[in-house]
Amino acid sequence: MYETANSLVAYIPETGKFYWKYRDEIWIPSTGRRNHWNNRFAFKECFFTVDANGYRIGSLLNKNYYAHRLAWLLTHGEWPKHEIDHINGVRGDNRLVNLRNVTSQENGKNQGVKVSNTSGVVGVTWHKKQQKWQASIRTLEVKTWLGSFATKAEAVAARQAAEIAFGFHPNHGLRPSVPEPDYRRPVKL
């Protein structure tokens, strides 16, 4: 697949953008159709359509691919073995410096704050009945209780210490976990 993708699409690691390459007679034998395709698409941006979750997608030879996975293939010569994490949390930012091949568990350690979060800090909640702040952390589907605290600052400090101890990414919880709203053509994949 690498050879096929590399002959059809150019990936610019510094910008994270993709461009159609010029098609020769191997891909389009008919001169008229080849000229028509090249005049219309060659050297123009591709893989800029965005799915409902904010990931850039596109099609190669009638099959849909995620741009971040294709970026990994074109850079490393093989499909990623795990998930591709967008380090800064922006799912449409496919610059190579923003992508890392990690397990699902590692990817979960770099999430944003859920929209439903009321404290503004992942793993910190207000317990109305006790009138205390509580902190917890979840790793490998196991929730670890960190304690109840008189102040929010104490609960946040306990949570941050646990994130360091459990190897969470420094970006974890620093941004909202919602797709960027400024994409060109939202579609469902």
Side-chain angles (χ1 to χ4, degrees):
M1 179 62 193
Y2 169 78
E3 292 80 16
T4 301
N6 192 42
S7 66
L8 297 174
V9 177
Y11 168 64
I12 312 301
E14 296 79 19
T15 64
K17 295 189 177 190
F18 295 82
Y19 298 91
W20 290 119
K21 287 186 175 179
Y22 181 86
R23 302 277 171 96
D24 60 18
E25 60 276 354
I26 293 171
W27 290 106
I28 307 174
S30 166
T31 303
R33 287 184 180 171
R34 183 172 59 251
N35 289 341
H36 177 73
W37 193 95
N38 285 324
N39 287 336
R40 189 168 176 202
F41 298 110
F43 311 114
K44 293 189 178 151
E45 189 177 353
C46 58
F47 281 79
F48 55 78
T49 302
V50 178
D51 74 0
N53 294 315
Y55 294 106
R56 293 182 184 269
I57 59 170
S59 180
L60 279 180
L61 303 176
N62 297 318
K63 186 171 181 198
N64 289 332
Y65 294 95
Y66 285 107
H68 54 278
R69 295 187 68 79
L70 186 63
W72 194 269
L73 171 71
L74 291 172
T75 304
H76 298 285
E78 63 182 13
W79 288 111
K81 293 184 180 9
H82 303 289
E83 296 179 2
I84 296 296
D85 177 30
H86 290 81
I87 296 168
N88 67 5
V90 179
R91 295 172 175 175
D93 181 357
N94 292 311
R95 293 173 299 131
L96 189 58
V97 298
N98 190 43
L99 304 177
R100 63 187 187 136
N101 184 17
V102 296
T103 63
S104 180
Q105 289 82 14
E106 277 298 305
N107 199 5
K109 293 179 179 181
N110 186 20
Q111 292 183 356
V113 178
K114 303 285 185 229
V115 176
S116 59
N117 184 303
T118 56
S119 73
V121 181
V122 176
V124 174
T125 58
W126 173 251
H127 193 279
K128 191 174 183 178
K129 194 172 186 179
Q130 289 183 356
Q131 293 291 296
K132 291 191 178 215
W133 289 96
Q134 298 181 336
S136 63
I137 194 164
R138 181 177 299 275
T139 57
L140 297 174
E141 301 305 318
V142 176
K143 189 172 185 176
T144 303
W145 174 254
L146 302 174
S148 293
F149 304 90
T151 67
K152 182 178 177 181
E154 291 172 320
V156 170
R159 170 62 193 215
Q160 289 173 339
E163 287 178 6
I164 292 168
F166 285 107
F168 277 60
H169 194 278
N171 288 347
H172 184 78
L174 295 182
R175 65 190 182 281
S177 65
V178 294
E180 296 293 313
D182 62 339
Y183 295 113
R184 291 196 251 183
R185 294 191 256 170
V187 297
K188 278 197 165 185
L189 185 62

